[in-house]
Amino acid sequence: MRSQWLESGVSIIQGMVVSAVLAGSALISTRMVSTQKMAVKSAETKDHITQLHKLIFADLQNREHCLMTLGPVITPGNPLIVGTAKSFTVNNIVVKASNSVTGLTRYSTSTGATYTPATIYMNGNVRIQSMTLNTTTNLGNPQPFVINYRRLEGKKNASRTKVGFGGSSISKTIYVRLQRELPSSTTITGCYAVEMSTESATRA
């Protein structure tokens, strides 16, 4: 009788151990699948950021688009200062189509007229956080135009703020050559993008 009880007890313990192992394996598998899905989504969003950045670069290579974008930023009330580094906040990137100023709504999930910070782009996966023209002391060199992108996830809507897998913002730079009438001029008469730099990622 005792032997049968022991055998029965061992069988119950063995069953519990097997059940625990199976449950643990299922949990690990679920987490692995979830992590893999997030990693795939992250890679997709990173690709979208690269695509959007290339589109913006292509637009700024057009001298007219570039001047329409940066000209209003560098105004008599907020001019370039020769020999001094200065930053200018860029509110949007303007392109001209036909006879009127229009935006690149085909890249956005909202109805904004231009590339604008805080607007969601690329099927709801990317948000532009900020755009800044950082002029250096030597205005004869190409000047860094820095765009900060935020990777998004979750439900697609205009108020979405949750960051994507890895929780990072990606900063990319476009170098823009500014044209002035004279070396001492404090306003620009033309500009065009000449180069894209490598990206840098930051926790956010």
Side-chain angles (χ1 to χ4, degrees), residues 90-112:
V90 179
N91 293 322
N92 53 54
I93 293 173
V94 184
V95 298
K96 187 173 183 179
S98 64
N99 296 320
S100 62
V101 176
T102 184
L104 305 172
T105 55
R106 60 189 180 279
Y107 308 129
S108 173
T109 56
S110 70
T111 57

Side-chain angles (χ1 to χ4, degrees), residues 118-138:
T119 301
I120 296 176
Y121 298 89
M122 306 307 284
N123 198 31
N125 290 327
V126 180
R127 181 186 296 276
I128 294 178
Q129 291 294 101
S130 64
M131 299 186 291
T132 308
L133 175 66
N134 296 316
T135 58
T136 63
T137 55
N138 187 351

Side-chain angles (χ1 to χ4, degrees), residues 10 18-19 24 27 48 58 67 72 76 98 108 136 145 153-154 159 163 165 167 170-171 176 180 191:
V10 170
V18 170
S19 298
L27 179 61
H48 283 165
L67 185 60
S98 64
S108 173
T136 63
F145 177 54
E153 66 178 21
S159 62
V163 298
F165 183 69
I170 294 178
S171 176
V176 179
R180 297 166 293 151
C191 65

